[in-house]
Amino acid sequence: MEQKSIISITNLTKEFPVGKGHFTALDKVNIEFGVGEFAGLVGPSGSGKTTLLNIIGSLDTPTTGDAIVMGQSISKLSHKQSALLRNHHIGFIFQTFNLLPVYTVYENVEFALLLQNMSSGERHKAVMEALEWVGLTDKEKSKPSMLSGGESQRVAIARAMVKKPQIVLADEPTANLDSKNSHHILQTMKKLNEELKVTFIFATHDEKVMMYLNRVVNLADGRIVSDERVMNHVKAQ
Amino acid sequence: MIALKLAFRNLLGAGLRTWLNVTVLSFAFVVIIFYNGMLNGWDRQGKRDTQAWEVGQGQLWHPTYDKYDVFSIQDAHGLMETREKQLAVEGKLTPILIAQGTAYPEGRMQGVLLKGIDPEQKILKIPSHLLKQTATAADDATATDGATEVDVHYAIDVHHAIIGKRMAKSLKVGEGDQMLIRWRDKNGTFDALEVKIVAVFKSDVPSIDNGQMYLSLQTLQQMMDMPGEATILVSGTEEINGNLGNWVFKDLDFLFTELDEIILSKRAGSMIMQSTLLLIALLAIFDTQILSIFRRQKEIGTYIALGMTRAQVVGIFTVEGGAHSILAALVGAVYGIPLFMWLAAKGITFGVDDMGITMAETIFPYYSLGLIAFTTLFVIAAATIVSYIPARRISKMNPTDALRGKVN
């Protein structure tokens, strides 16, 4: 199932300037992710999980080395090309949900589709389908301020999934949720992974997330210290 | 279109901050349109009054006449030829003879510009018909018995004169008052006679009033020993649009120069206030934009993560700032349109009746479509530019820092 490579990272180094020197966030990282993986980048704070996720999502570029995502070299993409890559192929889920506060649930989910020049009929169908996946069709007119943390993260998942991306990058998606909501969210993502064959990559140090992963990549000080394929502890329901 | 939709959604979502900016900007809108409308109204009324009272459809000047040079008056007179006389008979032009004199109201002495005007003329609004004098009507007349109407001449002891209200105030005289006037005729000989003020007229054009006294044309011609002569010919028809014989044609553009310059200077003066007000409103938008970009870093990062280019995000914030002006135009219209309509109907009374320039006591502002359209476009453009300047920062933002809200 996870044979075909969708992300290929070679000798990737990322340095950030700090004062007169620099801080190495990622140090010669080599890794590949296949289609339909449910993988996690695990490690303590400062290990480089989020930086790697940002580079895969073309929000950042490597200092040296390269990341090939969907056949496109992240270091060589223009702003416009990387925006197109994100808009069509990559979904993001953030720790703090990052919902747009002045829009309704429906409009938040619809947002990514507005950039794809879809007709309003197609958009409506896609948005309602995405809300159905996460069980929030009854909240379509609510504003984010009226939602619980779990509901907000489910909206964020719907927003990431509505454009049917090949890759979803989730940065600490359960960090702001209680245990019950965390499991609910992870169940939802696992289900989407299995049904739609979407590649999920998490940056996390939450034990609950690790229970769902098929692959755990351990990072420390910007290096991969282990990369294990694991048996699912929890199945999608 | 997306940017406009998002911008309005964000603006309305910002609540009170938006409405404060919109209110200040709408006030700037209304004040700019109000001031310019008032100046336009003044311009229109001023020109209409000046035409009606002084310049008609243009003037023909004696070649040596200079309105601004009092010394030119002595020699600035000439005979009207047959053609000019014929046009005067047809009512297409009216001659005016101008001479210098001195008035002695109640023993005081005051310089006066004597103007002879045809009592039959219908071109100017000056009530010259009141200068018609009959022997029986003339005070202490010694004219031929039985004459119903005679040309004014020395047989009449007291000659009729009319003056404007400013001149009446200056001479401290009123209707029915008599005074001695003294002048030098074309040969330099001093002469004097008694005049009676038969009317004090009210005009919004001070240049036909201040320091001036109107007599019948024939009376002044006789007084100056200049029969059939005039200093200027006022045209009542657009047919006359060039020189006639020796008479030099002055068109309306030339004759309105003074008024145009005054209104231009007033417009420039009012620009300072309008610009200050607009600047305050634009500064508020600028500040809001800076604050907005600083506070909404995560939102900016999210837009980029969702697939917007930085340029598109700059566009959203620019349109959002510029959209303040569209809302301001709508809010301004809500209270501005009824206010402007009321002012255009009632006019604005200034209370002072003599500012030394052609200005009606009550000015009716004139709001043209061009004025409103230009003001609206100007304010929208200014607000958009002011919004774009801080929004450019977004294009330099690192999206990962923006997502964490860590852009300095």
Side-chain angles (χ1 to χ4, degrees), chain B residues 75-94:
Chain B
D75 299 320
H77 53 86
L79 269 175
M80 290 169 67
E81 302 298 335
T82 316
R83 191 179 170 194
E84 290 93 82
K85 282 180 184 165
Q86 182 56 35
L87 287 167
V89 169
E90 290 170 11
K92 289 181 177 172
L93 57 78
T94 188

Side-chain angles (χ1 to χ4, degrees), chain A residues 79 86 102-103 107 114, chain B residues 2 6 9-10 304 306 310:
Chain A
H79 285 317
R86 286 191 297 272
V102 296
Y103 305 143
E107 289 162 343
L114 285 173
Chain B
I2 296 171
L6 298 178
R9 191 67 62 77
N10 287 332
I304 294 171
L306 290 176
R310 289 179 175 98

Side-chain angles (χ1 to χ4, degrees), chain A residues 2 51 70 73 82 103 115 119 129 154 160-161 188 204 211:
Chain A
E2 295 141 15
T51 305
M70 306 277 308
S73 165
S82 61
Y103 305 143
L115 301 171
S119 71
E129 191 183 10
R154 278 151 66 197
M161 292 302 300
T188 307
T204 186
M211 291 165 65

Side-chain angles (χ1 to χ4, degrees), chain A residues 54 59-60 79-80 83-84 86-87 90 92 94 96 98 100-104 107 110-112 114-115 117 123 159 163, chain B residues 2 5-7 9-10 12-14 298-299 301-310 312 316 395 398-400 403-404:
Chain A
N54 286 338
L59 288 171
D60 210 345
H79 285 317
K80 197 171 177 181
L84 272 174
R86 286 191 297 272
N87 186 231
I90 302 172
F92 285 91
F94 304 101
T96 50
N98 289 29
L100 302 167
V102 296
Y103 305 143
T104 61
E107 289 162 343
E110 187 191 26
F111 188 89
L114 285 173
L115 301 171
N117 296 322
R123 287 203 307 268
R159 182 177 66 183
K163 55 193 177 188
Chain B
I2 296 171
K5 189 180 167 189
L6 298 178
R9 191 67 62 77
N10 287 332
L12 298 175
K298 272 193 178 182
E299 187 182 326
T302 307
Y303 284 139
I304 294 171
L306 290 176
M308 285 190 119
T309 60
R310 289 179 175 98
Q312 281 176 310
I316 287 184
S395 64
N398 181 335
T400 57
L403 276 168
R404 285 182 294 164

Side-chain angles (χ1 to χ4, degrees), chain B residues 307-375:
Chain B
M308 285 190 119
T309 60
R310 289 179 175 98
Q312 281 176 310
V313 183
V314 170
I316 287 184
F317 277 75
T318 304
V319 172
E320 199 174 306
H324 277 100
S325 56
I326 296 169
L327 284 178
L330 296 173
V331 169
V334 168
Y335 65 87
I337 289 173
L339 178 72
F340 293 152
M341 284 172 72
W342 181 75
L343 287 173
K346 294 280 177 190
I348 303 162
T349 305
F350 284 85
V352 284
D353 60 4
D354 187 10
M355 293 174 71
I357 45 179
T358 305
M359 186 179 187
E361 269 183 63
T362 300
I363 286 184
F364 294 89
Y366 175 69
Y367 309 104
S368 65
L369 200 63
L371 167 68
I372 293 167
F374 175 77
T375 309

Side-chain angles (χ1 to χ4, degrees), chain A residues 18-231:
Chain A
V18 179
K20 286 178 184 173
H22 61 262
F23 166 72
T24 304
L26 293 170
D27 190 7
K28 291 182 185 140
V29 171
N30 289 287
I31 192 166
E32 287 197 358
F33 293 97
V35 173
E37 282 202 56
F38 204 73
L41 305 172
V42 180
S45 293
S47 58
K49 309 184 293 285
T50 301
T51 305
L52 186 54
L53 220 53
N54 286 338
I55 291 172
I56 293 169
S58 77
L59 288 171
D60 210 345
T61 49
T63 309
T64 58
D66 204 0
I68 309 290
V69 178
M70 306 277 308
Q72 299 184 64
S73 165
I74 295 297
S75 355
K76 291 175 186 160
L77 293 179
S78 66
H79 285 317
K80 197 171 177 181
Q81 286 168 327
S82 61
L84 272 174
L85 177 70
R86 286 191 297 272
N87 186 231
H88 287 272
H89 304 296
I90 302 172
F92 285 91
I93 298 168
F94 304 101
Q95 178 182 343
T96 50
F97 324 133
N98 289 29
L99 298 181
L100 302 167
V102 296
Y103 305 143
T104 61
V105 164
Y106 182 94
E107 289 162 343
N108 263 285
V109 178
E110 187 191 26
F111 188 89
L113 303 180
L114 285 173
L115 301 171
Q116 292 186 359
N117 296 322
M118 284 173 79
S119 71
S120 63
E122 286 173 315
R123 287 203 307 268
H124 180 75
K125 194 178 160 204
V127 172
M128 293 315 289
E129 191 183 10
L131 288 175
E132 211 167 298
W133 289 334
V134 295
L136 282 176
T137 45
D138 56 329
K139 299 276 184 184
E140 61 168 313
K141 287 181 181 147
S142 303
K143 288 276 176 74
S145 58
M146 298 154 73
L147 303 176
S148 68
E151 286 171 333
S152 294
Q153 197 59 297
R154 278 151 66 197
V155 175
I157 294 169
R159 182 177 66 183
M161 292 302 300
V162 71
K163 55 193 177 188
K164 298 196 171 76
Q166 280 83 354
I167 302 164
V168 170
L169 304 172
D171 190 3
E172 307 278 10
T174 54
N176 283 351
L177 301 178
D178 57 30
S179 178
K180 190 183 163 195
N181 270 311
S182 295
H183 283 293
H184 192 172
I185 292 298
L186 289 162
Q187 283 286 350
T188 307
M189 289 195 272
K190 188 75 186 164
K191 194 172 155 203
L192 290 167
N193 165 251
E194 287 176 1
E195 285 179 10
L196 303 174
K197 306 291 177 246
V198 177
T199 304
F200 275 78
I201 302 174
F202 295 83
T204 186
H205 46 19
D206 184 347
E207 292 292 332
K208 295 189 287 295
V209 178
M210 289 181 223
M211 291 165 65
Y212 289 79
L213 300 176
N214 303 130
R215 183 179 174 191
V216 177
V217 179
N218 264 294
L219 285 160
D221 298 327
R223 290 168 180 268
I224 295 173
V225 291
S226 69
D227 182 357
E228 296 171 65
R229 300 204 178 261
V230 291
M231 291 296 290

